[in-house]
Amino acid sequence: MTTQTALIEVRDLTNAFGPQVVHQHLDLDVMRGEILGIVGGSGTGKSVLLRSIVGLQRPTAGSVKVFGENLLDLSPEKRSQVERRFGVLFQSGALFSSLTVLENIALPLIEHAGLSRDEAEGLAVVKLALAGLPESAAYKYPDSLSGGMIKRAALARALALDPEIVFLDEPTAGLDPISAAAFDQLILTLRDALGLTVFLVTHDLDTLYTICDRVAVLSQKRVLVAGDLTTVAATKDAWVHDYFHGPRGRAALQASARLTENN
């Protein structure tokens, strides 16, 4: 359930790589319990924003607070404590190819929670089930998994430490429509069951219409608009119009309406 408590606060953020300025004076709040979709054209810095929030990218200027803490200002010990409260699913899955799925999920439990290998692997099986994977997948290596199974295995690892916030970078990219729809429903179910807050970078219109409470559009080096889909789609901006009112946008809206009627 969404509340008006901001778990993530981005203020006056600037990200520059040499002469290339990706973000400038960017502001954004992510509220507790919501699924926030981040969209924007190519080069607008969607993944850079995610990396800035989780502490993998040091901003050129501005501040990023997660749970009221600026990760970059914390001691290593305090930062590790805060980082345990969120999980990240990277676009490619980023599983360790030399480890089985079970070992991939158990690793953060061993390294950060101090569990024994047996304890960690026991919990890893539970996380696999949460992500919708059969126990038989536990003993496979990433190169033997389908794209959808890799995404679910990576999600299971992101959930390993019982996070409060989950960051998802293009989680349905490369999936067929049926697998993508199933993954969307999984995220929605997990949000409702576990009380997660979800920060979701995506270009998938079906995902936006199916599971997102709010959408933030990155444009002109900042957040152009953030709000519910009706508000965002009505924004007078050429990219927003083409994205939400083009053929794919209309199809996603119609599919969402049919789903709402059926439920």
Side-chain angles (χ1 to χ4, degrees), residues 80 84 96 99-125 127 156-157 159-162:
S80 178
R84 286 181 55 178
F96 294 107
L99 301 180
T100 65
V101 169
L102 188 70
E103 290 168 337
N104 265 280
I105 300 167
L107 188 61
L109 291 162
I110 294 170
E111 290 194 345
H112 299 292
L115 299 185
S116 69
R117 179 167 179 166
D118 286 346
E119 292 171 330
E121 291 187 351
L123 274 177
V125 171
K127 304 302 178 180
R157 188 177 62 180
L159 295 172
L161 296 173
D162 296 327

Side-chain angles (χ1 to χ4, degrees), residues 209-210 249-263:
Y209 279 102
T210 301
R250 292 195 298 271
L253 177 59
Q254 290 168 1
S256 175
R258 287 194 299 269
L259 183 63
T260 300
E261 289 175 2
N262 292 335
N263 289 337

Side-chain angles (χ1 to χ4, degrees), residues 6-115:
L7 294 190
I8 300 171
E9 301 169 274
V10 180
R11 294 292 180 271
D12 204 26
L13 183 75
T14 296
N15 274 307
F17 301 91
Q20 180 186 8
V21 178
V22 178
H23 302 138
Q24 192 168 39
H25 306 308
L26 185 154
D27 294 327
L28 179 68
D29 286 332
V30 184
M31 312 310 291
R32 181 186 295 277
E34 77 171 340
I35 299 178
L36 175 69
I38 306 295
V39 301
S42 178
T44 54
K46 300 180 292 294
S47 294
V48 172
L49 176 58
L50 184 155
R51 292 171 62 86
S52 297
I53 294 172
V54 302
L56 295 175
Q57 166 72 37
R58 180 176 284 275
T60 306
S63 67
V64 178
K65 291 184 178 181
V66 184
F67 305 115
E69 303 276 8
N70 189 333
L71 294 183
L72 297 177
D73 291 340
L74 299 178
S75 67
E77 180 181 357
K78 180 64 175 175
R79 176 172 172 167
S80 178
Q81 292 174 358
V82 175
E83 287 176 340
R84 286 181 55 178
R85 299 173 67 186
F86 57 74
V88 184
L89 188 161
F90 295 101
Q91 185 171 348
S92 64
L95 297 173
F96 294 107
S97 61
S98 61
L99 301 180
T100 65
V101 169
L102 188 70
E103 290 168 337
N104 265 280
I105 300 167
L107 188 61
L109 291 162
I110 294 170
E111 290 194 345
H112 299 292
L115 299 185

Side-chain angles (χ1 to χ4, degrees), residues 145-192:
L145 301 178
S146 67
M149 292 180 75
I150 287 175
K151 298 285 188 180
R152 288 175 182 263
L155 178 62
R157 188 177 62 180
L159 295 172
L161 296 173
D162 296 327
E164 297 172 51
I165 305 174
V166 176
F167 296 88
L168 308 176
D169 192 358
E170 298 282 7
T172 59
L175 300 184
D176 64 82
I178 294 174
S179 296
F183 197 91
D184 286 341
Q185 288 303 314
L186 174 62
I187 296 302
L188 190 60
T189 298
L190 289 173
R191 188 280 300 271
D192 294 342

